[in-house]
Amino acid sequence: AGETNPKLFKKVADDIVQFRKLGGFKPQELSNTAWAFAKAEESHPRFFKKLADHVIALDNIVGEFTPQELSNTLWSFEKVGESNPQLFEKVVRTILALDNLGKFKP
């Protein structure tokens, strides 16, 4: 525990960013991958940019991501220092537009 392998994280991220779109990944898979990078304190700017672009492009973030997946994803960006104001703004706008937070269920 407590050890990471930067080459492994780089390999995983490099492979993911080569996909044209991330639609083949489930939100939980994306969230878990971002979380793993954050826990290992490994960053990969192109991976996080690709992930942010994917989430921003979603029509219905709340319908795709559970609250846990979304919070883990946002936390991951913050933890590794990958600022993406557009992503955070999209999430904020989406949640504020809900007439009832009960629609945003785990």
Side-chain angles (χ1 to χ4, degrees), residues 23-75:
F25 290 93
K26 296 175 185 165
Q28 183 177 2
E29 295 166 343
L30 294 171
S31 174
N32 287 353
T33 302
W35 180 87
F37 273 82
K39 284 297 284 183
E41 298 180 357
E42 293 287 342
S43 185
H44 191 288
R46 290 182 320 156
F47 165 72
F48 279 93
K49 170 84 168 94
K50 183 95 171 186
L51 176 55
D53 291 346
H54 172 73
V55 175
I56 291 167
L58 292 174
D59 290 331
N60 183 11
I61 295 172
V62 172
E64 298 278 337
F65 281 77
T66 67
Q68 185 69 53
E69 292 162 352
L70 194 55
S71 65
N72 285 354
T73 300
L74 295 177
W75 174 83

Side-chain angles (χ1 to χ4, degrees), residues 45 48-58 61 70 73-74 77-78 82-95:
F48 279 93
K49 170 84 168 94
K50 183 95 171 186
L51 176 55
D53 291 346
H54 172 73
V55 175
I56 291 167
L58 292 174
I61 295 172
L70 194 55
T73 300
L74 295 177
F77 274 80
E78 181 63 29
E82 289 295 334
S83 177
N84 193 300
Q86 297 87 355
L87 172 63
F88 283 83
E89 180 61 31
K90 170 86 182 242
V91 171
V92 167
R93 278 194 326 269
T94 300
I95 293 172

